[in-house]
Amino acid sequence: MLFRFVAVLAAALALTAPAAAQTRLNVAIGADVNVVEVHKSLLGPGFKATAPGVELNVVGTGTGEPASRAIYTKIKAQADTGRKPWDLDVALVSMAVASQMVKEGLLFRFVPQMRNAALVKGAEVKEAFGVNVDGYVVPMFHNQIAIAYHPSKVANPPKTFDELAAWVKANPNRFGYNGIKGGVSGVGFTIGWVYWKTGLYQQLTQGPVDKGKDGAIREAITSLRDFNKNAVITNGNAGTLDALNRGEIWMGVVWIDQLVAWKNEGRMDQAVTPTLPAPGLPIYPLYLVVPREAASRDLAARYIDYIATPEVQARAIVERFGWYPGVDADKVLPLISAKSRELLFKGVSAQDLARYSRQMPLKEYHDMITLAYEELVR
């Protein structure tokens, strides 16, 4: 699968050889088609209006972690062969891949030269997976995993994982999530469960890595196996939303942005509401980065700077797609409509996000958790 992504990426770049009269900015997107589309149809044209003579070549590499790995593999191969310049100028990658590229010296430290550098703030832009990423990454947006529920069926939505577990036990087959093979929301719920059961959030996200914690992780996953006996394993993120919409389940694990998007499109019962139980669920930022030997590093930094502008974040990131802002929310949210604010924060307040958004664990712990799930739950 990864080889196919890399081959597609190489072919797309080869088919768009540099134009003579324009500066071409090669942008690789390791995310779903809707994210690719926003660069092609909204962000790219908006940036070109400020930078005449620039042509954007936007290439998507697919979904999930393999899509970001494909971008890493291409950049790493060019670094290993000594080729300069590299043929990617901007990339959108996962937190895990960005931190690995910083650790291996594959990225350009561009944030300090941005006009909007002061808006790039938060713990996740300082350290990711135990790596100091300060100055190398700008989140395009923030996305939050949450528990969505039908108010007509769930009078008192769970405020904690303890309450969630009790509700699911009392209401078998009315809660759904997609396990660890059907999308990141299922992985995120599994990781949130481990944080809750082990109480090891700080160590699992900041280290040091201690393989002796495997026993506690496996004990937590064993309890999740028992929990699953009363849960429905859905067919992916969309499958969870579909089951909720049809009333087959009354609660489920979803991405808030996907829930908002479906409501905006009229595909979802408007009453379905998200909640974020303590001690929390992971957030999953995607980082905009500039490869160290990009042919147009300064122009790449300008493009990311444009995306970080509060007006652009409000119009394209929040209003159009229902994502949380990637940069300082205090500067962006006053610019959005009352309707968008209601959709985004109904059920999950800004205070909930501040208290209960959790980072993904270090890669070594992430692998230990998913391996334990595969061995114990399946």
Side-chain angles (χ1 to χ4, degrees), residues 25-274:
L25 206 59
N26 285 317
V27 181
I29 305 298
D32 216 336
V33 291
N34 62 330
V35 186
V36 177
E37 191 58 31
V38 73
H39 282 267
K40 287 183 174 180
S41 64
L42 200 59
L43 298 176
F47 177 65
K48 286 171 63 176
T50 70
V54 175
E55 185 67 25
L56 266 76
N57 174 37
V58 181
V59 179
T61 60
T63 61
E65 197 65 15
S68 293
R69 286 282 154 204
I71 294 171
Y72 164 79
T73 300
K74 181 168 180 56
I75 292 172
K76 183 70 164 58
Q78 292 180 81
D80 289 346
T81 57
R83 168 180 171 172
K84 293 182 183 178
W86 301 345
D87 58 7
L88 288 180
D89 299 299
V90 176
L92 185 71
V93 295
S94 68
M95 179 183 276
V97 165
S99 62
Q100 182 177 353
M101 288 200 288
V102 171
K103 191 174 183 178
E104 296 180 10
L106 297 174
L107 296 184
F108 174 51
R109 192 167 187 271
F110 68 98
V111 176
Q113 73 185 61
M114 289 172 49
R115 287 184 302 109
N116 293 305
L119 304 184
V120 183
K121 56 197 303 186
E124 71 280 1
V125 300
K126 302 299 182 186
E127 187 166 293
F129 290 100
V131 177
N132 181 353
V133 297
D134 190 13
Y136 293 94
V137 300
V138 173
M140 178 180 164
F141 57 84
H142 282 128
N143 204 357
Q144 178 66 54
I145 296 166
I147 308 296
Y149 66 96
H150 274 282
S152 62
K153 304 293 186 183
V154 184
N156 298 300
K159 293 182 173 59
T160 66
F161 265 66
D162 288 287
E163 291 181 8
L164 173 66
W167 187 92
V168 172
K169 187 175 182 179
N171 297 274
N173 300 319
R174 294 301 185 185
F175 173 87
Y177 78 108
N178 53 359
I180 63 166
K181 294 293 187 183
V184 180
S185 63
V187 176
F189 177 72
T190 301
I191 287 169
W193 180 280
V194 172
Y195 290 160
W196 165 54
K197 278 293 185 181
T198 64
L200 293 173
Y201 173 68
Q202 188 67 23
Q203 177 156 17
L204 296 184
T205 55
Q206 304 303 319
V209 174
D210 177 3
K211 294 191 183 305
K213 301 302 181 189
D214 191 51
I217 289 172
R218 286 179 173 265
E219 186 176 337
I221 294 297
T222 299
S223 69
L224 181 58
R225 178 186 63 193
D226 297 336
F227 171 88
N228 279 3
K229 292 175 182 175
N230 291 315
V232 175
I233 302 302
T234 63
N235 181 25
N237 300 310
T240 304
L241 287 169
D242 273 333
L244 273 167
N245 204 37
R246 290 193 295 264
E248 295 171 3
I249 59 174
W250 298 345
M251 277 203 289
V253 182
V254 302
W255 290 110
I256 291 181
D257 78 303
Q258 200 169 13
L259 175 63
V260 170
W262 280 38
K263 284 185 175 182
N264 279 334
E265 296 166 6
R267 302 168 61 190
M268 193 75 198
D269 186 335
Q270 297 294 313
V272 174
T273 303

